[in-house]
DNA sequence: CTGAAAGCGCTAACAA
DNA sequence: TTGTTAGCGCTTTCAG
C-alpha cells in the first residue's frame, strides 16, 4: 500500500494540516514537530502525491511540448534546451510528436489540456491556427517555437527566417552564382514560407531571374531532399547552386548527387539551414545557416513560465543566427 | 472559468453521476439523456479533468521515460518508438534527460513517482542499481531499455551486446586485421561492459593478442571519440582497426583522423555500433552494428503496459541485430 | 435509468 | 502553534 499524508500524520500524532505545513516549508510549526514529521516521512518512505496537490492548487508543474519530428536532428537539441530549463524551473515535460500530421497536433493539444499541463510549447502548422485562436480566448498559456503562426497572439521564439534565407541566398550570389534553386520546407508552415520569401527577396535584390522550375516544395525530410534533387538533376538546364530549407534535405541531396556521380561543390553548390550537428562531419562540410537551438528551447520555457505566472509577456523573441561557412559552396566567376 | 462536470450536469439538469456515466460510456443511461449530455459537453466546450480522474482511479495514463542523452542520435529513434506506441495505447510520456548524471537519474525517478506515472522506462547506469531494488519491492512497474542492470528483476529490452561486439570484432578479424583497438562506452553502464567482453572474446577466440593500450574508455560522446583517437594516433605502435562502442565516438574519430591527414579505411579501419541514421551519409559510410531502435522503444512500452496491468511479465527481451557493411573497413592480408 | 453520498490525497481558510 | 472543515473534479457504491 502506498503511504499518504494521513499515514505520516497518524504516525506522529498530528493533523494532516501540520504535515502539509512541513511538507511545504510553511512557517508556524514548532521545530520539534517539524523534526518528528520529517523523521516519519523518511522512515515511512512517504512520497507526496503531486496529482492530489495539483487538483487543489490547479497547478501541475508540468508543461506540454508538441513537436513535428523528434527524429529530425534539429529538434532534439531544442528539446534538450526545453527539458533542461524546465527542470531547472521545477517543471516536467510531456512530449508529443506529431509527424507533421494536423490531426495529431489537435489530439495532442486536447490530451495535454485534459492532463492539465500548466502551459504548452508547440511547433504547429498553419492549418491549425483556428485552434490557437480558441485557446487564446481561454488564456491558456502557449508559446510557439520554431514555427510561428502569425495570426496568433501567442509569443513565438524563432529566428528571422526570411532574413536568414536572404543571407543564405546572398552568400550564394556573392560566391558568383546566378542560377540558384531552392528546395522549400513544408509550405503549410510559416517557417518554410518565410524562407521562400527571403530566397526570392535576395534574387530580386541582385537582379537575378527566378525560375519556377528550380523552386520545389519539400517536406523537411531527408527523403524529400533526395527525391527533389533527382528532379533537378533531370532538368535540361540546371542551377549551379541550391538552397535547401533545412540540412536534412540537403543531406538527401548529397546522396542523390553522389549516386549520379556528381560532386559537391564542383557540380552543385549546396547550402543548408539549421546547422544540425552532423553538418560538420559530413564531407564536404555543409555550409548552412546556424540556429541557436538550445537557446530557442530555453527561452521558450522562460516565456511560457511568464505566461503561466500571468506576467502577460506576449512579445515574440527573435534570436540572431549566423552563416556557417564550410565546404559545400564553390566560388565561381 | 474552466467548465467542469458539474457545469454540464447543471446545464442538462442531471446529476454529475449521469454525466460521468456518459463520459465513460457506461451502460444504464437512456439514449435521450445521453444525447442531451453530449450536446451540452460540446456547447460548453467541456474538457474532462484527467487529473481529478487520476486521483480517484489511481491511474494517470502517463508513463515516465528517463534517458541519458536525447542529443545522441541513438535515442530520438527510441523515443519515437516509445512515444508512438504509448500514444497508441492511450498513454502520455513524461521525458527526463539525465546527461548520464547519476544524481539526475535519482531525481528524475523521484519526480516521476510523485507525478504518479503508471510506470517508467529507463536507461540507467549501474551505480543506481540499489534504487531499482527498492522500487522492485514496491512493485513499481519499470522496464529497462538499452542499458540493463542485471541485478534487477525488472525486464530489459536490449540487444545482445556481447554478441554484437563479438560480431563486430570478428568482422574486423575476418577482414584480416590482427591489431585491433576498442574504444569503450562509459564503463559504468552494463552495455559498455558487455561490448568490451564481446570484443575480448573475439580476440581470444581467434588467438589475437590483446593490448591494453589499445583499449580506451570513452563516454559515448563524439568528443571522447575525437580525443581518444588522438591518443591512439600518438601511440608508437598503432592498431590497424578500431571498434568503437558507438557511432558517435566513431565520428569523433573521423574528425581526428582527417585532422591528422590520415584516411579511412586506408590508414585506419573503423567499425561503429548502433547504425544511427547519419552513418549512411558520411564518407566513407560507417560500417556498424545495427540496432532496431524504434522497435526497442515500442516493445519496451508493451512490456511496461503488461507490468502495469499486472500481467507479471518479467521476461527480458533480446532483439536480433545485424552487421551493416559500408566502407570504413579495409580488407588486408 | 438516475441520484445522493462518500472518498481519492492534498491545501487553505478559519478557529482555537 | 495546531486542528477542523471544506473543497479541488471526478468515480463509485448503494438506494431508489
Amino acid at each position: 500500500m502506498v503511504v499518504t499524508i494521513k499515514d505520516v500524520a497518524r504516525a506522529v500524532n498530528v493533523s494532516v494540516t501540520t504535515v502539509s505545513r512541513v511538507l511545504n516549508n510553511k512557517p508556524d510549526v514548532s521545530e520539534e514537530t517539524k523534526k518528528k514529521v520529517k523523521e516519519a516521512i523518511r522512515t515511512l518512505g512517504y512520497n507526496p502525491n503531486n496529482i492530489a496537490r495539483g487538483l487543489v492548487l490547479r497547478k501541475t508543474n508540468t508543461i506540454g511540448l508538441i513537436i513535428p519530428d523528434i527524429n529530425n536532428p534539429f529538434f532534439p537539441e531544442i528539446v534538450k534546451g526545453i527539458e533542461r530549463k524546465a527542470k531547472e524551473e521545477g517543471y516536467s515535460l510531456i512530449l508529443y510528436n506529431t509527424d507533421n500530421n494536423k490531426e495529431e497536433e489537435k489530439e495532442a493539444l486536447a490530451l495535454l489540456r485534459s492532463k492539465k499541463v500548466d502551459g504548452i510549447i508547440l511547433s504547429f502548422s498553419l492549418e491549425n491556427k483556428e485552434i490557437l485562436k480558441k485557446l487564446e480566448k481561454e488564456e491558456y498559456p502557449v508559446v510557439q517555437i520554431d514555427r510561428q503562426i502569425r495570426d496568433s497572439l501567442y509569443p513565438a521564439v524563432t529566428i528571422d527566417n526570411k532574413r536568414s534565407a536572404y543571407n543564405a541566398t546572398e552568400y550564394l550570389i556573392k560566391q558568383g552564382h546566378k542560377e540558384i534553386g531552392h528546395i522549400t520546407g513544408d509550405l503549410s508552415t510559416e517557417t518554410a514560407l518565410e524562407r521562400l520569401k527571403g530566397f526570392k527577396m535576395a534574387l530580386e535584390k541582385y537582379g537575378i531571374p527566378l525560375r519556377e522550375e528550380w523552386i520545389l516544395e519539400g517536406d523537411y525530410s531527408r527523403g524529400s531532399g533526395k527525391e527533389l534533387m533527382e528532379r533537378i538533376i533531370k532538368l535540361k538546364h540546371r542551377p549551379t547552386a541550391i538552397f535547401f530549407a533545412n540540412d536534412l534535405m540537403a543531406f538527401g541531396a548529397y546522396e542523390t548527387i553522389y549516386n549520379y556521380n556528381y560532386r559537391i561543390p564542383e557540380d552543385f553548390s549546396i547550402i543548408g539551414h539549421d546547422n544540425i550537428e552532423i553538418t560538420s562531419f559530413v564531407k564536404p562540410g555543409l555550409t548552412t545557416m546556424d540556429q541557436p537551438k538550445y537557446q530557442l528551447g530555453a527561452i521558450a520555457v522562460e516565456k511560457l513560465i511568464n505566461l503561466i505566472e500571468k506576467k502577460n509577456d506576449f512579445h515574440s523573441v527573435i534570436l540572431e543566427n549566423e552563416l556557417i561557412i564550410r565546404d559545400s559552396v564553390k566560388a565561381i566567376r
Side-chain angles (χ1 to χ4, degrees), chain A residues 66 96 102-113:
Chain A
I66 307 180
Y96 275 102
K102 289 39 167 173
E103 284 312 310
E104 299 254 19
E105 290 181 356
K106 270 194 247 185
E107 267 175 47
L109 211 51
L111 251 12
L112 250 15
R113 297 194 57 197

Side-chain angles (χ1 to χ4, degrees), chain A residues 136-206:
Chain A
E136 276 171 25
K137 284 199 199 96
E138 304 175 29
E139 304 191 20
Y140 206 102
V142 170
V143 168
Q144 311 186 64
I145 193 164
D146 176 47
R147 303 183 177 178
Q148 172 171 27
I149 293 181
R150 283 175 194 285
D151 299 20
S152 165
L153 292 176
Y154 285 130
V157 182
T158 62
I159 56 161
D160 183 338
N161 284 295
K162 200 194 315 180
R163 162 156 227 97
S164 184
Y166 178 93
N167 288 346
T169 312
E170 184 179 51
Y171 174 71
L172 257 18
I173 295 170
K174 292 203 163 159
Q175 295 303 303
H177 292 275
K178 293 191 166 48
E179 306 188 290
I180 306 178
H182 176 36
I183 308 298
T184 75
D186 177 343
L187 289 177
S188 72
T189 66
E190 181 77 17
T191 305
L193 256 17
E194 288 288 296
R195 290 186 191 157
L196 175 54
K197 274 187 210 158
F199 170 74
K200 289 182 174 173
M201 260 177 57
L203 293 193
E204 190 172 336
K205 172 77 182 299
Y206 288 90

